[in-house]
Amino acid sequence: MSQASAVTRPASEASASHGPGGIVLSAILSRLVIVVPYLWLLVFFLAPFAIVFKISLSETAISMPPYFPVFSWEDGLSGFWENVKELSFANYLWLVDDPLYFNAYISSVVIAAISTFLALLVGYPMAYAMARAPSSIRMVLLMLVILPFWTSFLIRVYAWIGILKPEGLLNQFLMWAGVIDSPLQIMNTHTAIYIGIVYSYLPFMVLPLYATLEKMDFSLIEAAQDLGCPPISAFWKITFPLSLPGVVAGCLLVFIPAVGEFVIPDLLGGSQTLMIGKTLWNEFFGNRDWPVASAVAVVLLLILVVPMMFFQRAQARSQEQER
Amino acid sequence: MKSLGSIRRSFAPWNDPQARPYISFQNVTKRFGDFTAVNDLSLDIYEREFFALLGASGCGKSTLLRMLAGFETPTSGRILLDGQDLAGIPPYKRPVNMMFQSYALFPHMTVEANIAFGLKQDGMPKAQIAERVAEMLKLVRLEQFAKRKPHQLSGGQRQRVALARSVAKRPKVLLLDEPLGALDKKLREATQFELMDLQQDLGLTFVVVTHDQEEAMTMADRIAIMDKGKVMQVATPAEIYEAPSSRFVADFVGSVNMLEGTVTSRNGNSVVIKGNSGAQISVENAGDAAPGADVAFAIRPEKIRVTSKRPETAANAMEGEVWDIAYLGDMTVYHIKLGDGQVVKASALNSARVSEDPLTWSDRAWISFAPDAGVVLTR
């Protein structure tokens, strides 16, 4: 009898009793999917950042590891508290005190900004030409842009030494062509750094620009011309404003790594170029001052992240206004 | 007075030998590599005319329009606008504006800024621009949408913005590339009449490219039927429909029955055609058909009567079998299979709710038509 009633139980009741469990399960599953990227960020970005931040609040010491205090599980909660009391912002004050760091930050940002602008100047026409090329050769052009990634970054930067040095390929060629009489001093100047950064990061500029330009409806240009707009003016009034998302993405992708760039200024810029990446390297490996180096890194991160957050908020607000 | 299509028109500069064409294509050819898009084409369009280029896709009609706008240059031949050769004049200096098929509205600009764009290029004073933009917005009834961006508008609204933008500069000629192609049927029909009113009010010359024959028939003063880069016929909608010049045009526009045959005798403007089925057809307007010529007699379905008995007075009558009947409400289309197997379409207006002579499938039936109901085509 009970068996029979169980069988004849209305379907709605059955689904109601099964429903909540199923919903909870699917909710957990869908949460889990979102959790994975957060977990990734937590483990590979936030946790290392917390460690760096903690080190930046520590004091340098001649020990292993070279800073104090060191948290350990054996100390227990009271020991933990004792250690926390030892932390201070002294390293950050030190950064403010010594103009070396300030100058390094400024010069990094300036060099990165100039390089980014130059990369935009070189990359935009490339991306434009690619976007307007017949679709049959577009893939080949795209391949050519990506191709340099197949060789080591370090080797490519070394190759530039061979090109730029006083007796290098460029000077030899220019002297052979009769353009100059004595070799140009390009190595160990800012110019060499610009060349190095523009060369190395150009694909990061070209690819997002290409993506936006390729999507653009070129009948808009025809419409602008039809309404009396000469081609160059049509570029500035239509093409460029519409490609701004690509310009911004490309510039950020070049600017951010360029600010912290170490290899290029070290190899091409010579000893007298001041860039924060080099300063960081010196603090870590030259002075073995991990706390100050960590403070330098944290400040660098803030310099990059804060303007980006403002930018994103402004963009979100302007998008909302459009609705 | 007799008139084709029962339309009497007063605007017909193309019949006036004194009238000077406003736009003139002279032996224009355009090749893209091996492909000839426009082939040695000559065409005259008159001022204030609503001119339609009608043809299937790939017939060269859009290329013709783009050459007029300046986006393509003719491989050979000349295009004159108001007596001036357009060769070498870039699109941004031509007194023509175009309404694009995709509308090509600038997505980063408001409706207002889109309409003002061309005026700003001309360096018009700001106050005047504002005035003209307001006037244009009123014309297309989009006053309350001035500050919107294109993506916030419906398809019909976008179409009207594109229209307002292209007429804002008061161009001598407005080119419209499939102007109603992206609209749904109801909106398209309403917009057709709006376009005609606008053209009348502004007194502009319109050249519209379309593949929709109903659209062309409704709006245009004259239609050019194009095929494979050539103009097959240029005439008023009524002439195109009632007096097509070739088998292609007759077949392309509307529904038609083509009875192939040979001219047996000619008397003045009347001929007798011996159809391939053996039937005699006597026709009044013979055109240039000479005795012995292989011709097609083209007749529209609505000009054929279908009866169950042989009509006593009809000049032409043929017997057949009811093969198919399509009841469409306002009319009924009969497919009558003749003796030689050819199926002739005949449509009858259902002007009465009850038919006195009902026909059904497989009935014997007679089709009949007057001597002037169709045309003789030699080409």
Side-chain angles (χ1 to χ4, degrees), chain A residues 242-299:
Chain A
L242 287 175
S243 66
L244 269 181
V247 172
V248 170
C251 285
L252 285 179
L253 283 178
V254 174
F255 181 78
I256 292 169
V259 171
E261 183 54 52
F262 162 72
V263 173
I264 294 167
D266 194 55
L267 291 180
L268 301 178
S271 52
Q272 74 273 38
T273 13
L274 201 57
M275 273 189 87
I276 203 67
K278 267 179 76 182
T279 313
L280 199 70
W281 169 275
N282 282 337
E283 291 298 345
F284 257 112
F285 299 99
N287 297 348
R288 262 183 83 80
D289 193 342
W290 286 25
V292 167
S294 300
V296 168
V298 170
V299 171

Side-chain angles (χ1 to χ4, degrees), chain A residues 16-321:
Chain A
S17 69
H18 272 280
I23 288 167
V24 168
L25 193 72
S26 78
I28 290 172
L29 269 176
S30 67
R31 266 315 141 71
L32 211 66
V33 172
I34 304 170
V35 159
V36 171
Y38 277 111
L39 211 65
W40 177 275
L41 282 179
L42 185 78
V43 171
F44 293 107
F45 176 74
L46 213 57
F49 178 73
I51 294 169
V52 169
F53 183 64
K54 187 252 140 193
I55 297 175
S56 77
L57 300 176
S58 313
E59 223 177 297
T60 178
I62 302 173
S63 63
M64 212 31 208
Y67 53 83
F68 176 85
V70 179
F71 291 102
S72 83
W73 295 110
E74 289 111 62
D75 296 345
L77 206 60
S78 60
F80 175 79
W81 191 239
E82 285 302 310
N83 279 338
V84 167
K85 276 196 224 161
E86 295 282 337
L87 298 175
S88 80
F89 282 92
N91 292 321
Y92 290 92
L93 292 176
W94 167 251
L95 291 189
V96 181
D97 266 358
D98 192 334
L100 170 80
Y101 301 104
F102 181 76
N103 291 340
Y105 280 122
I106 293 295
S107 122
S108 293
V109 167
V110 169
I111 287 174
I114 291 172
S115 309
T116 304
F117 180 69
L118 293 175
L120 181 64
L121 281 189
V122 178
Y124 203 106
M126 280 175 73
Y128 191 88
M130 280 165 64
R132 300 221 59 176
S135 50
S136 52
I137 62 164
R138 255 185 233 171
M139 276 300 126
V140 178
L141 293 174
L142 207 61
M143 202 60 218
L144 289 177
V145 170
I146 302 169
L147 206 62
F149 283 132
W150 291 12
T151 41
S152 153
F153 168 70
L154 206 60
I155 287 172
R156 282 182 288 132
V157 176
Y158 265 115
W160 274 105
I161 298 178
I163 296 170
L164 297 178
K165 66 186 176 184
E167 64 278 16
L169 287 174
L170 181 67
N171 277 316
Q172 276 184 11
F173 173 75
L174 288 177
M175 283 182 358
W176 171 79
V179 181
I180 49 170
D181 296 326
S182 56
L184 295 171
Q185 181 57 47
I186 302 174
M187 267 307 286
N188 302 335
T189 64
H190 281 191
T191 312
I193 302 182
Y194 300 147
I195 291 173
I197 294 180
V198 168
Y199 165 75
S200 304
Y201 291 108
L202 198 60
F204 296 107
M205 182 62 87
V206 171
L207 294 178
L209 278 173
Y210 169 75
T212 46
L213 286 171
E214 199 240 9
K215 271 187 298 183
M216 219 185 79
D217 177 7
F218 279 99
S219 73
L220 295 176
I221 308 296
E222 286 187 346
Q225 291 197 24
D226 187 63
L227 292 165
C229 200
I232 291 175
S233 169
F235 172 81
W236 288 113
K237 283 177 177 154
I238 310 296
T239 314
F240 191 73
L242 287 175
S243 66
L244 269 181
V247 172
V248 170
C251 285
L252 285 179
L253 283 178
V254 174
F255 181 78
I256 292 169
V259 171
E261 183 54 52
F262 162 72
V263 173
I264 294 167
D266 194 55
L267 291 180
L268 301 178
S271 52
Q272 74 273 38
T273 13
L274 201 57
M275 273 189 87
I276 203 67
K278 267 179 76 182
T279 313
L280 199 70
W281 169 275
N282 282 337
E283 291 298 345
F284 257 112
F285 299 99
N287 297 348
R288 262 183 83 80
D289 193 342
W290 286 25
V292 167
S294 300
V296 168
V298 170
V299 171
L300 179 62
L301 191 76
L302 290 180
I303 287 175
L304 294 176
V305 166
V306 171
M308 262 173 64
M309 276 165 60
F310 273 111
F311 174 77
Q312 267 198 326
R313 182 169 301 181
Q315 212 178 25
R317 202 174 299 158
S318 76
Q319 265 176 358
E320 221 153 85
Q321 267 171 359

